Amino acid sequence: MRTFLCILGLAAVTTVLIGAGVEDAFKRERSGKGDEAKNALEGNPPPALEGSWLNVRGGKLEWDALKGKVVVLDFWAHWCGPCRAAIPHVKEMLSKYGKDGLTFIGVHSDPNEAKMKEAVKELGMNWPTLFDGNKAVMKAYGADSYPDYYIIDRKGVLRFADIANADVEAAVQMLLKE
């Protein structure tokens, strides 16, 4: 009996460890439309981040420069109430886990760059922010609402596509331990 329970426990742990996306315990925000595309992103390198940047030395940020970090992409817009309300929690997570390798990248997918810059300054968003005014990055990721969160692990693999907002911090904690 003990052997059976050990094997069963090992199988459960293996399923969690191998499950780079669909086989884990974290909830995804899925509505039917675009779900296959989001599922296909998980376990693969993330799409490129093209656009103009704020809070980035050299004016550009590449995925290679972020290897070794856990990166949360936060798709947001300056007019989005829930996005603005989430900023204090983002700051809290960066304060708590930044030293361990957590990075946030805001992806502003609204055509009003001036309003984005105002919001970044007003809200004290000192992390990298990408202006995605034509929504090319948003489309590449299949993001379909605000805020939407996508998490990339230390190896540069997109592990969570459109993870439920309530699960972001737990997923970050898990990936920082890997």
Side-chain angles (χ1 to χ4, degrees), residues 118-141:
E118 280 178 32
V120 165
K121 186 175 181 179
E122 172 192 337
L123 297 167
M125 298 169 61
N126 60 357
W127 50 91
T129 302
L130 176 69
F131 175 62
D132 180 36
N134 63 3
K135 297 187 180 193
V137 175
M138 189 173 192
K139 288 175 189 162
Y141 282 84

Side-chain angles (χ1 to χ4, degrees), residues 1-153:
M1 183 66 164
R2 278 188 189 167
T3 304
F4 174 74
L5 291 175
C6 287
I7 291 170
L8 185 62
L10 181 58
V13 168
T14 302
T15 300
V16 170
L17 292 175
I18 291 174
V22 182
E23 297 289 327
D24 56 55
F26 298 102
K27 185 177 184 305
R28 309 307 197 279
E29 293 183 350
R30 299 289 193 259
S31 62
K33 182 181 170 193
D35 291 355
E36 285 183 31
K38 290 177 187 179
N39 292 340
L41 287 171
E42 292 186 348
N44 293 298
L49 298 172
E50 300 293 332
S52 60
W53 290 90
L54 284 177
N55 302 326
V56 174
R57 285 194 185 122
K60 189 166 179 147
L61 194 56
E62 301 282 342
W63 282 119
D64 286 344
L66 296 165
K67 290 241 172 111
K69 297 194 174 288
V70 171
V71 180
V72 178
L73 291 180
D74 176 4
F75 288 88
W76 71 287
H78 65 274
W79 46 260
C80 168
C83 300
R84 294 172 80 88
I87 297 303
H89 189 234
V90 170
K91 289 178 180 179
E92 181 183 308
M93 282 193 287
L94 283 169
S95 175
K96 205 187 296 187
Y97 308 114
K99 66 187 176 312
D100 299 324
L102 175 64
T103 299
F104 265 78
I105 295 176
V107 181
H108 185 269
S109 297
D110 179 277
N112 193 329
E113 188 172 12
K115 290 283 190 185
M116 175 199 74
K117 288 178 178 179
E118 280 178 32
V120 165
K121 186 175 181 179
E122 172 192 337
L123 297 167
M125 298 169 61
N126 60 357
W127 50 91
T129 302
L130 176 69
F131 175 62
D132 180 36
N134 63 3
K135 297 187 180 193
V137 175
M138 189 173 192
K139 288 175 189 162
Y141 282 84
D144 53 12
S145 63
Y146 300 112
D148 266 357
Y149 297 100
Y150 290 64
I151 307 177
I152 295 85
D153 69 16

